[in-house]
Amino acid sequence: MAEDTATSGVSGEEPAPQPPDVNFAEYFHEARPRTLRHRARVRSTVRRRSVAQDGPASGENPVYVSWLLAQSMLGHADELARQFSGQGSMWQNPFASPGPRHAVETASVWFTAYPISLITRPGVSFLGALGDEELWQAFETIGIEGVHTGPVKRAGGLSGWQPTPSVDGHFDRISNEIDPVFGTEDEFRGMCATATWHGGTIIDDVVPGHTGKGPDFRLAELAYGDYPGIYHMVEIEPADWGTLPDVPPGRDSVNLDAATEEALEKAGYIVGRLQRVIFFREGVKETNWSVTGEVTGVDGVVRRWVYLHYFKDGQPSVNWLDPTFAGMRMVMGDALHSLADLGSGALRLDANGFLGVEKSAGGMPGWSEGHPLSEAANHLIASMVRKVGGFTFQELNLTVDDIKVTSEAGADLSYDFINRPAYHHALATSDTEFLRLTLRTALDLGVDPASLVHALQNHDELTYELVHWTAGHATELFAFRGEEITGGELADTIRRDLCDHLAGPDVPYNLIFTTNGIACTTATVIAASLGITALDDITPDDVDRIRRVHLLLVMFNAFQPGVFALSGWDLLGMLTLPPEQVSDLLASGDTRWISRPAHDLMGHSPGADRSSAGMPRGRSLYGPLPDQLTDETSFARQMQAILAVRKHSGVATARQIDVPDVAHRGLLVMVHALDDGRTQATVLNFADEHVDAAVRSDHFEPGSQVVDLFSGETVGTVDDLNGFRVDMTPFRATAVVLEAPPVEDGA
């Protein structure tokens, strides 16, 4: 984006200000209107064929094969793609370069939904509820401009003719159809229309890294057509079946142990060991590879396949560099269906950092993270989305360096995994040192905060993997707490601090999630930081304190450039579920289910004790939105004021120029250059104590008036040391703008 230029007068000895650099899109499309997101752009909806179920579920039964083909994502994608070929509409939008600020201007405040946790009116589907006029009136009042639905298409798998449930919250997609448990395609289109009427945008999901074990995977097992090319799957010769484990009765695959993985690598079948095993669990998932049982193909040949899955064994990984390019065709078709048929305006790219895998030499793990193929694939997906008028965001918990590289030609926005664990750490320890380090690291490495989605809670755990410090910079030295320590030591320290303060015996309502993070809600992070040991003991005074800190976290995420995102769990102040209420879901070791309580945004079903999907209802500290909007002191009303000032000031599309040192360890200052040339500062106190704060930055011009953005009052003047003072009560946040001093006559 454009470099900062001076707004004051220029002397004869100074170089003239240079015009800002603009990219192709900005030059030729500087005033392009916002797309009417709900308007379908396909000539006709592709109708899926209905094929009766008859006979055995095997490759030797043509009826079964036809039934699979009628439901397959690849087949649907091929039919849909033909409607776009040769059309002038495919050349009306710039697509080569990401446009983070255009995405932010389209929708800068997002509500992130989780379908199975939303309680609706009796008989109303999830999509019907999200398209409700009353809900969108509330969203518009608060300042929410975009809704990320979460995955709503069919997911899970097939066992013969029978569907099997999702193994990962509907991220194991098996069809482009909307899952009836969430609603219908017409309800999705209606939701998009309602959102557009209220100035909003719907954000859907595409899953480029894997599918479930649905029709496409079963056709691949049957060696039908291009389908094996969708996946990283390898046919094992019968002579080598002796090295493979047996598949137990009732299972269709079994995970390989490390010894078998190594044997197959040496035999030239697979890449072998990768950089890490996500969801590692002894006896369940010890490697990223699983093997099928014996499968009779459409040609009558009996085969056994070994396939890659970065995540669970029900999520076979997509191969982005097979000669058939079947995986690419399938994913692109899914994206076009969401954007051009259903009417969404943007897509989240899920787990898109794992789209390339390559064998390494010398016994080293295979190259599977930060691979150039992932970058190329992301570029292709994001470019296709931009070609049809949408934008994309990605969730990549990678090093800051890798996030910088992947964002150069890929997704328009990236999830802020850089600062998310850091602001939780600042709250837990009343010390912003690590948060200042992460903010500065992003700036130093060229990651624009305006390209990030700064979020409160989402459907996952509080992630503290800290990959930047444990992977790419593990041996590099960093200054922290008065000494030089390695990145690996820094990550260990932060992880230990988070676990000590936010989980453990004294905080039984938050649970550790494997090695990735902590299962919690924003409200229970705050409760733990405030020293609350039992959720049942929370008093009305405690609720007031939790709300105050919650608004501090809103200010941190909202009063910097980029998108601000929050969930229903945040809007209602939800607490975690008691583990015994979801014991069956926790049996697999996935503790995140306690942080996904069912909640009723609009208070339409006060008597419901669970969502239609079966999630138990959790406890809300703030109450439903209609009640909050009648109370000027409520969380929603106070956040509304914050978001209104944010929008008026233009901080969402500003440039972050400084994260200065502070005189008190609980303080954080972020300095931004606004589009109108003024300097803005966000000041936050993460400590539970009063601070008379001295705020200084080389970007503050002496003599400037310090104006409070909320009250409009002048609250100080920048002194000759480039600073001003502000009174910061516990957990207070404020935002000011600096008005340049008047030019004296004759100057």
Side-chain angles (χ1 to χ4, degrees):
M1 301 304 295
E3 295 294 325
D4 187 32
T5 56
T7 57
S8 56
V10 180
S11 67
E13 298 179 355
E14 296 175 326
Q18 296 299 308
D21 295 331
V22 295
N23 62 31
F24 182 91
E26 292 169 326
Y27 185 82
F28 287 100
H29 299 269
E30 57 184 345
R32 59 183 174 186
R34 292 169 66 170
T35 306
L36 290 177
R37 301 301 189 189
H38 73 278
R39 188 163 55 194
R41 291 179 284 265
V42 295
R43 285 170 284 170
S44 62
T45 298
V46 177
R47 299 298 176 187
R48 299 168 181 86
R49 293 174 291 141
S50 177
V51 179
Q53 301 179 19
D54 184 34
S58 72
E60 298 170 297
N61 180 4
V63 176
Y64 180 62
V65 175
S66 295
W67 182 75
L68 293 175
L69 288 169
Q71 302 178 79
S72 78
M73 291 187 288
L74 178 59
H76 183 248
D78 286 343
E79 292 183 58
L80 186 63
R82 296 187 189 103
Q83 297 197 38
F84 291 86
S85 298
Q87 299 299 308
S89 60
M90 290 298 293
W91 299 102
Q92 304 310 307
N93 295 302
F95 63 88
S97 301
R101 281 176 169 77
H102 174 64
V104 172
E105 288 168 354
T106 301
S108 69
V109 180
W110 299 356
F111 171 78
T112 57
Y114 192 62
I116 65 175
S117 293
L118 185 66
I119 295 175
T120 65
R121 281 192 178 101
V124 176
S125 70
F126 167 76
L127 293 176
L130 277 191
D132 180 70
E133 176 72 20
E134 185 183 357
L135 174 65
W136 272 96
Q137 287 176 352
F139 281 170
E140 187 174 12
T141 297
I142 294 169
I144 294 170
E145 301 166 331
V147 167
H148 176 213
T149 62
V152 293
K153 295 183 178 180
R154 287 184 183 269
L158 287 175
S159 178
W161 298 99
Q162 300 302 313
T164 58
S166 171
V167 299
D168 190 25
H170 270 70
F171 287 100
D172 45 345
R173 182 167 295 175
I174 62 171
S175 172
N176 292 343
E177 292 184 275
I178 300 295
D179 192 318
V181 74
F182 301 132
T184 66
E185 289 194 353
D186 285 342
E187 285 180 318
F188 195 109
R189 295 186 184 99
M191 172 184 63
C192 293
T194 303
T196 299
W197 181 259
H198 288 274
T201 295
I202 296 298
I203 304 162
D204 195 8
D205 289 81
V206 66
V207 188
H210 52 256
T211 70
K213 288 184 175 179
D216 296 86
F217 184 75
R218 297 308 178 197
L219 286 164
E221 286 183 313
L222 300 179
Y224 183 88
D226 292 347
Y227 285 83
I230 294 176
Y231 301 102
H232 284 283
M233 59 191 306
V234 179
E235 179 183 348
I236 306 300
E237 294 295 329
D240 293 319
W241 286 4
T243 64
L244 302 176
D246 294 330
V247 177
R251 299 275 302 278
D252 62 4
S253 66
V254 66
N255 192 246
L256 300 182
D257 60 25
T260 306
E261 176 188 56
E262 183 179 3
L264 291 176
E265 177 192 2
K266 290 181 177 178
Y269 283 113
I270 62 176
V271 171
R273 183 166 58 104
L274 302 182
Q275 288 171 263
R276 58 174 166 160
V277 180
I278 300 173
F279 293 122
F280 175 88
R281 191 177 178 197
E282 189 173 353
V284 177
K285 186 187 178 187
E286 299 183 3
T287 71
N288 292 301
W289 302 90
S290 286
V291 60
T292 70
E294 296 181 13
V295 182
T296 302
V298 293
D299 53 4
V301 176
V302 179
R303 296 175 175 85
R304 295 193 73 184
W305 305 86
V306 169
Y307 67 95
L308 172 68
H309 53 95
Y310 285 105
F311 299 96
K312 300 176 181 179
D313 65 353
Q315 296 169 282
S317 294
V318 173
N319 184 354
W320 275 82
L321 203 57
D322 183 83
T324 65
F325 292 98
M328 181 188 300
R329 287 154 46 204
M330 179 189 70
V331 172
M332 293 300 187
D334 188 11
L336 288 174
H337 175 249
S338 290
L339 293 159
D341 193 348
L342 296 180
S344 59
L347 295 175
R348 182 183 74 149
L349 309 182
D350 178 66
N352 63 317
F354 310 103
L355 306 186
V357 57
E358 181 176 329
K359 187 176 179 63
S360 297
M364 298 295 292
W367 188 5
S368 57
E369 298 186 23
H371 193 282
L373 179 57
S374 290
E375 299 163 21
N378 286 317
H379 190 185
L380 287 169
I381 301 169
S383 292
M384 179 63 76
V385 172
R386 287 189 285 267
K387 284 194 80 171
V388 296
F391 66 86
T392 55
F393 85 98
Q394 61 189 357
E395 290 192 28
L396 284 180
N397 191 18
L398 301 178
T399 67
V400 182
D401 320 64
D402 285 339
I403 291 174
K404 165 63 176 175
V405 172
T406 58
S407 64
E408 288 177 348
D412 300 281
L413 301 167
S414 297
Y415 202 81
D416 187 0
F417 281 119
I418 304 168
N419 300 303
R420 190 163 181 249
Y423 80 74
H424 286 105
H425 184 265
L427 178 63
T429 63
S430 300
D431 189 342
T432 65
E433 182 178 7
F434 182 60
L435 178 54
R436 282 177 273 127
L437 175 59
T438 60
L439 287 164
R440 291 167 178 170
T441 298
L443 286 177
D444 291 344
L445 294 178
V447 174
D448 183 358
S451 70
L452 299 177
V453 178
H454 312 288
L456 294 174
Q457 185 188 352
N458 68 3
H459 67 279
D460 270 327
E461 77 288 354
L462 188 174
T463 303
Y464 58 44
E465 285 183 275
L466 305 166
V467 174
H468 183 80
W469 322 100
T470 60
H473 302 268
T475 60
E476 186 177 332
L477 292 177
F478 296 90
F480 188 69
R481 292 179 177 169
E483 59 179 337
E484 295 280 316
I485 60 175
T486 66
E489 292 169 336
L490 175 61
D492 288 342
T493 299
I494 301 303
R495 188 181 297 113
R496 185 169 55 252
D497 286 346
L498 288 170
C499 290
D500 289 347
H501 286 83
L502 303 181
D506 294 333
V507 192
Y509 47 82
N510 295 331
L511 297 178
I512 302 296
F513 173 64
T514 65
T515 59
N516 293 351
I518 300 170
C520 55
T521 67
T522 303
T524 62
V525 165
I526 297 168
S529 300
L530 294 176
I532 296 171
T533 58
L535 298 183
D536 289 342
D537 295 340
I538 291 177
T539 67
D541 286 342
D542 291 328
V543 174
D544 290 341
R545 296 172 69 210
I546 290 171
R547 180 171 56 240
R548 182 183 182 90
V549 178
H550 212 152
L551 291 167
L552 169 79
L553 302 185
V554 168
M555 279 289 294
F556 167 73
N557 285 288
F559 260 83
Q560 59 178 308
V563 167
F564 166 55
L566 77 165
S567 64
W569 299 302
D570 289 303
L571 282 172
L572 304 190
M574 299 301 298
L575 303 179
T576 50
L577 291 167
E580 59 270 18
Q581 290 191 15
V582 285
S583 56
D584 55 334
L585 295 171
L586 300 184
S588 67
D590 192 344
T591 59
R592 294 175 297 176
W593 292 106
I594 70 164
S595 59
R596 299 164 176 170
H599 50 280
D600 185 356
L601 281 175
M602 301 302 292
H604 289 321
S605 297
D609 62 359
R610 59 187 59 239
S611 69
S612 60
M615 283 301 295
R617 187 182 194 126
R619 178 184 172 190
S620 167
L621 298 182
Y622 307 152
L625 292 183
D627 292 350
Q628 289 194 55
L629 293 178
T630 63
D631 177 4
E632 294 301 320
T633 67
S634 70
F635 176 78
R637 275 297 188 189
Q638 292 189 68
M639 186 174 66
Q640 174 194 2
I642 291 172
L643 297 180
V645 174
R646 173 184 189 261
K647 186 170 186 176
H648 180 73
S649 69
V651 71
T653 54
R655 291 186 303 107
Q656 194 165 96
I657 55 178
D658 194 16
V659 181
D661 290 332
V662 290
H664 186 281
R665 69 189 191 113
L667 290 178
L668 176 72
V669 179
M670 298 181 290
V671 182
H672 308 114
L674 300 177
D675 292 341
D676 61 11
R678 295 182 299 169
T679 300
Q680 184 271 328
T682 303
V683 187
L684 307 107
N685 180 12
F686 282 83
D688 191 7
E689 61 181 271
H690 190 282
V691 179
D692 179 17
V695 180
R696 303 193 182 282
S697 171
D698 290 341
H699 294 271
F700 297 162
E701 183 180 355
S704 297
Q705 299 296 299
V706 182
V707 178
D708 187 306
L709 280 171
F710 289 88
S711 68
E713 297 177 355
T714 299
V715 294
T717 303
V718 177
D719 60 31
D720 290 341
L721 295 178
N722 306 94
F724 60 90
R725 306 194 76 85
V726 59
D727 187 59
M728 300 295 290
T729 53
F731 301 122
R732 184 194 171 195
T734 190
V736 300
V737 67
L738 306 187
E739 302 286 358
V743 178
E744 297 181 6
D745 293 338

